[in-house]
Amino acid sequence: MSASGGTKAIVAALAANLAIAASKFVAFAFSGSSSMLAEGVHSLADSGNQALLLVGGKKAQREATPQHPFGYGRERYIYAFLVSIILFSVGGMFALYEGYEKIKHPHEIEHWYWPVGVLVFAIIAEGFSFRTAIKESNTTRGGKSWKEFIRHAKAPELPVVLLEDFGALVGLILALGGVGLALLTGDGVWDGVGTICIGILLVLIAVVLAIETKSLLLGESAGAEQTKRIEAAIVDGDTVPGIIHMRTLHLGPEELLVAAKIAVQHDDTAGEVAAAINAAEARIRQAVPIARVIYLEPDIYSEAEAAKGADPEATPGGPTPHDTAH
């Protein structure tokens, strides 16, 4: 995912949420609707989340240092994980508490036109933000389904904004339903029920975000297609006849580490081995430009050893499905 695409979606969501949050708090002040208060806090939390994503993207651009030789690309993952925590606590848990209080101590909604008008405005604004996120995501999503895109995206910004905007739109519909039922029945309990539904939705979205960003923080390998391209680039059939084992790791959304033990001919000179490694690195970078950190370790190729199969002790975690023993 390009950083510019993610930034555009974040800025659109931030502008929409700030405007929506202000309107929701005004509506709450005039109507006393707990759904409006919960939605206002939700929009305020979303605004803070988008600010965090922007900060994370900026910090990730810092140059590598001796203390952090692989750079700061993972800052984007850290700030995305913070977003999931804020969405869970400030958004979801607050809405659940407010909904419980509203059900326990219901009261009629005053000046109904305030919450209804604000909700309609918010749905339009969130729809614009959601449309922008979808448009930016489609440029990198390819043929993946939305579920696959969210689960396997290495850059966290667009999946976060997509889920936030989706949750906001559904939450607005729930709030509108709760306010509408409260007005039709004259029972403020329905406003509280709508608020609790919003809280449950936000908690579920926060859990999904936390799981996905936790996986990125732990370190994910290159995608299957990138792995195939790297393997094809390493092996030229002559100076590098095979790969003994290989590991890849995302140092950030747009920076990949490749470490592999490669097979070389037993009668190659040191100069020939060095030239083979340099050529393989060049082929890898051409095939997968984000492969910026590459370590290739040569070993003697043996047909007899290759016939024995992969060595499970070759690297931590055992062999991958792509291993070729030597």
Side-chain angles (χ1 to χ4, degrees), residues 170-214:
V170 176
L172 288 167
I173 294 171
L174 291 172
L176 189 59
V179 170
L181 287 172
L183 291 172
L184 289 173
T185 63
D187 188 352
V189 168
W190 287 108
D191 189 26
V193 171
T195 307
I196 286 181
C197 290
I198 293 169
I200 293 172
L201 173 69
L202 295 180
V203 167
L204 291 175
I205 291 176
V207 169
V208 171
L209 285 177
I211 291 172
E212 296 305 321
T213 51
K214 174 191 172 185

Side-chain angles (χ1 to χ4, degrees), residues 213-230:
T213 51
K214 174 191 172 185
S215 178
L216 292 170
L217 277 171
L218 289 175
E220 290 189 355
S221 64
E225 184 60 33
Q226 287 180 326
T227 300
K228 290 179 182 177
R229 293 206 301 267
I230 292 171

Side-chain angles (χ1 to χ4, degrees), residues 88-298:
F88 178 88
S89 57
V90 179
M93 298 307 294
F94 176 82
L96 289 173
Y97 170 77
E98 183 63 24
Y100 169 78
E101 286 295 317
K102 182 68 174 184
I103 292 174
K104 189 175 179 182
H105 305 290
H107 63 269
E108 292 186 9
I109 295 176
E110 301 174 354
H111 307 293
W112 62 269
Y113 42 85
W114 277 102
V116 172
V118 166
L119 286 172
V120 172
F121 164 74
I123 289 173
I124 295 172
E126 284 290 358
F128 170 77
S129 175
F130 193 39
R131 178 178 175 273
T132 302
I134 290 174
K135 182 179 178 181
E136 296 300 325
S137 298
N138 281 333
T139 61
T140 57
R141 184 167 64 97
K144 295 179 182 177
S145 67
W146 287 109
K147 180 180 178 181
E148 290 175 332
F149 175 71
I150 290 172
R151 289 195 61 189
H152 301 297
K154 304 303 180 183
E157 290 85 358
L158 281 177
V160 168
V161 174
L162 279 168
L163 285 176
E164 277 190 350
D165 286 350
F166 173 76
L169 280 172
V170 176
L172 288 167
I173 294 171
L174 291 172
L176 189 59
V179 170
L181 287 172
L183 291 172
L184 289 173
T185 63
D187 188 352
V189 168
W190 287 108
D191 189 26
V193 171
T195 307
I196 286 181
C197 290
I198 293 169
I200 293 172
L201 173 69
L202 295 180
V203 167
L204 291 175
I205 291 176
V207 169
V208 171
L209 285 177
I211 291 172
E212 296 305 321
T213 51
K214 174 191 172 185
S215 178
L216 292 170
L217 277 171
L218 289 175
E220 290 189 355
S221 64
E225 184 60 33
Q226 287 180 326
T227 300
K228 290 179 182 177
R229 293 206 301 267
I230 292 171
E231 290 174 337
I234 291 176
V235 178
D236 65 357
D238 182 20
T239 58
V240 183
I243 299 173
I244 299 169
H245 56 78
M246 184 179 77
R247 294 291 182 271
T248 60
L249 178 69
H250 268 274
L251 301 174
E254 293 153 4
E255 189 169 16
L256 188 66
L257 180 149
V258 178
K261 178 176 280 191
I262 61 174
V264 296
Q265 302 294 349
H266 71 280
D267 55 351
D268 284 350
T269 65
E272 290 171 333
V273 170
I277 291 174
N278 291 334
E281 289 180 351
R283 293 194 299 270
I284 293 171
R285 291 192 171 95
Q286 184 176 10
V288 182
I290 67 170
R292 299 175 185 173
V293 182
I294 303 173
Y295 298 107
L296 300 181
E297 177 187 357

